[in-house]
Structure formats: C-alpha cells, structure tokens
C-alpha cells in the first residue's frame, strides 16, 4: 500500500551505481506519495568527479539543509553509505537543523550523522534501509523487501502520531557456551539477567563508532544498549576493534551489547581453528572477552548489510526479552515535545 508521506533523498556519502540509483528511486516512488531529490549530479559513479563522495563537503551539507527546510518533506532518506559522512560534521550548524526536525534514515557510514544529529540537534534519526541498497533490491530480494516494508510501516505510524513497537529477534551469546560450562551458570556472566533490562538503544557501524572516538562527536554510551553491525571485515579485525572499545573503557557502562549482521569476509573453516564465521566468532568472544561483562550479549539481530535491515530509532527504549529486543517507539509528535 502506498504511503501518503513525501520523502527526500540526500547523498552525504559515496555515489551509487547508476542501476542501483535508478532502481532505488523507482521503488521509493512506488511506495511513497512523492520523492524529492536533494543529491546533485554527483549522485552516481557516472556523475562523480572524485569517485569517493557525492560532491564537495559544502554541496552535501547544503543539500541536507535544503531537505530539512523543505516543508513538504516528511522524512529524509540517505542514498547509501560508503565514505564521507563524518567529514561533514564540522560544517553543520546543529541549531539550524534543530529548527526543522524530521526523521532521518540511514546506516553504515551515515552512523556519524545519525548519532550526531540525534544528540546535538534532537533530530529523530533511524538506523535503517538505504535507497541504493535495500530499496534498489526490494524487487529481487525477500530480505530487502521485508526491510523496506518494515521502514514504510514504521514511518507511517511514526509520522501519523501513533506509537509503535518493533521486535528485533536474535540469539543469546550465552547459548553458544557448552551445556556443562561453568560460565553458563555464573550469575554475572553474559545473558544471566537478575532483572529486566531497559535501556536506550544506540545502533552503529563498528568502524564508524571507533572513528568518532576522541572527537567532539563521540557518542555517550553510558547506560545504553549498544547495537553494532559491520561489513567486509575479517573476524580478527572485529575482535581487534572490540578490544579497542574494551581497552578504551567504552563498554564499561553499557546495559547490554548486541550485534546485527557482521558480513565477514571469511566463510570457510580455517586450518588453525581461528573463527571464520559469525557463529564461531561469537563463540570465541563468549568464551573469553564476554566473560568479563556483567550485562547480556545478543547477536544475529536483523540490522546491517545483509539486506535484512530493520528500522531502529536511535535511543528508542529497548527491552530485552529472552534473545529479542523489543523497541518502544513514541510517535514523532511526542518526540518533538
């Protein structure tokens, strides 16, 4: 069913392939009442002179300002990730953005804008599908179609003044430990909940989160449920990045940790027995790194680069129920108050 909303498309990061751009815009037009483009000629690889980004920093920031200022636009959706979003942060006047708040959707490289717009401008940002990725694949991928429909449904209720609930179904890292392992029965080890966990959810790409550490835009992770995703990284690099977060003390005050898709580069078992897929990586982490945590750790959540990418509003209240995260999402009208 076609939504009555008007959406704007912005391109803060890398250009898309022509066919992905055209397929994504076509899908948007079929699902929403009107689509307005704030991208410029560098939106595709064919139009981009640098190849890295969709225009200069000034051009991309100006386009985002224009999309937010457009009174006809109900929500702003990013073209794709890639690279370039974080270099825009010093150029933004967050007070200016805060005058016209509206849902802003993206993920991956756009993590930098999702977290900063939400924290510094009070904008309701949503970790969710991109135009040139999930929308472009919705016709040939059941997972992409499910993600796009989930976003369309959420925006419809969110912008209409209706509260909603999103359920993210996953797995508990504690269950990867052997049944006779003493770790499974320690009260202060992963997943052993003494009381219900309620916490604001912060979804992020792992690489982008690390890139913000030590900057003025580093997010506050105290008391949150941190939900991470990644793409095209070897298991040892995921392990190393998590170790950096651990050593930097950024995991000390979490209420919970969860992982979406990791899209690892290695898929075949290794002769040396090192982790090669998400399950073996999570098992290795459950056996060592996670044992120092006194909060639950979940994985296999439906977000990330594997086409199953549910909308997750930044800092929506999340409640852990078994291996699932239940998000309570107040309507846009309540958020703006």
């Amino acid at each position: 069913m076609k939504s009555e909303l008007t959406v704007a498309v912005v391109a803060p990061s890398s250009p898309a392939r022509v066919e992905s751009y055209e397929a994504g815009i076509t899908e948007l037009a079929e699902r929403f009442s009107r689509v307005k483009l704030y991208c410029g000629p560098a939106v595709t690889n064919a139009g981009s002179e640098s190849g890295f980004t969709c225009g200069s920093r000034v051009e991309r920031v100006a386009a985002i300002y224009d999309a937010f200022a457009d009174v006809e636009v109900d929500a702003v959706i990013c073209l794709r990730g890639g690279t370039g979003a974080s270099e825009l942060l010093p150029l933004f006047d967050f007070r200016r953005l805060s005058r016209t708040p509206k849902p802003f959707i993206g993920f991956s490289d756009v993590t930098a804008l999702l977290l900063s717009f939400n924290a510094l401008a009070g904008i309701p940002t949503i970790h969710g599908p991109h135009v040139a990725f999930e929308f472009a694949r919705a016709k040939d991928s059941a997972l992409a179609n499910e993600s796009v429909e989930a976003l369309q449904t959420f925006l419809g209720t969110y912008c209409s003044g209706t509260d909603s609930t999103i359920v993210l179904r996953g797995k508990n890292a504690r269950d990867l430990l052997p049944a006779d392992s003493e770790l499974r029965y320690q009260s202060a080890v992963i997943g052993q909940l003494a009381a219900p966990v309620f916490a604001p959810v912060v979804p992020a790409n792992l690489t982008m989160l690390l890139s913000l550490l030590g900057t003025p835009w580093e997010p506050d992770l105290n008391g949150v449920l941190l939900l991470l995703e990644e793409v095209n990284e070897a298991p040892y690099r995921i392990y190393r990045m998590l170790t950096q977060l651990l050593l930097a003390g950024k995991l000390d005050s979490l209420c919970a940790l969860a992982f979406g898709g990791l899209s690892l580069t290695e898929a075949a078992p290794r002769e040396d027995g090192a982790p090669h897929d998400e399950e073996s990586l999570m098992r290795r982490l459950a056996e060592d790194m996670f044992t120092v945590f006194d909060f639950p750790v979940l994985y296999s959540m439906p977000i990330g680069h594997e086409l199953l990418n549910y909308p997750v509003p930044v800092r929506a209240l999340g409640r852990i129920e078994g291996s699932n995260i239940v998000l309570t999402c107040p309507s846009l009208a309540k958020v703006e108050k």
Side-chain angles (χ1 to χ4, degrees), residues 90-293:
L91 279 68
F92 279 113
D93 179 345
F94 291 100
R95 287 178 296 180
R96 177 177 174 180
L97 283 173
S98 69
R99 297 188 192 112
T100 53
K102 56 192 63 178
F104 179 78
I105 302 108
F107 77 110
S108 191
D109 185 60
V110 182
T111 291
L113 304 186
L114 295 178
L115 301 185
S116 300
F117 283 11
N118 182 266
L120 301 176
I123 289 174
T125 56
I126 300 163
H127 186 286
H130 279 158
V131 175
F133 193 48
E134 291 88 354
F135 277 91
R137 296 287 305 279
K139 288 287 192 293
D140 58 29
S141 166
L143 295 180
N145 185 66
E146 182 178 344
S147 302
V148 167
E149 287 191 350
L151 176 62
Q152 183 182 4
T153 299
F154 171 73
L155 286 178
T157 57
Y158 186 66
C159 294
S160 69
T162 304
D163 298 348
S164 61
T165 299
I166 298 173
V167 179
L168 305 177
R169 303 187 184 282
K171 301 176 181 179
N172 196 315
R174 180 171 174 267
D175 295 334
L176 292 171
L177 298 170
D180 58 352
S181 171
E182 293 183 2
L183 291 175
R184 283 183 69 116
Y185 304 102
Q186 292 181 13
S187 60
V189 173
I190 52 174
Q192 188 77 11
L193 301 180
V197 172
F198 295 87
V201 177
V202 174
N205 173 267
L206 178 56
T207 295
M208 290 307 302
L209 177 62
L210 262 63
S211 75
L212 294 174
L213 298 186
T215 74
W217 303 277
E218 178 181 330
D220 181 4
L221 300 180
N222 289 323
V224 308
L225 192 167
L226 182 61
L227 176 54
L228 298 172
E229 63 86 23
E230 192 48 86
V231 62
N232 291 336
E233 296 286 3
Y236 79 90
R237 289 177 62 85
I238 300 290
Y239 194 95
R240 184 168 63 198
M241 286 189 280
L242 290 173
T243 299
Q244 181 180 347
L245 285 175
L246 181 67
L247 296 179
K250 302 306 177 182
L251 305 181
D252 293 350
S253 300
L254 296 183
C255 277
L257 176 63
F259 295 88
L262 297 178
S263 303
L264 301 176
T265 56
E266 299 180 26
R270 292 167 51 108
E271 292 183 1
D272 60 6
H276 64 279
D277 59 13
E278 292 187 26
E279 196 90 345
S280 61
L281 174 60
M282 285 297 125
R283 182 176 295 106
R284 168 67 183 276
L285 289 166
E287 291 171 347
D288 51 31
M289 185 184 296
F290 293 170
T291 60
V292 304
F293 297 161

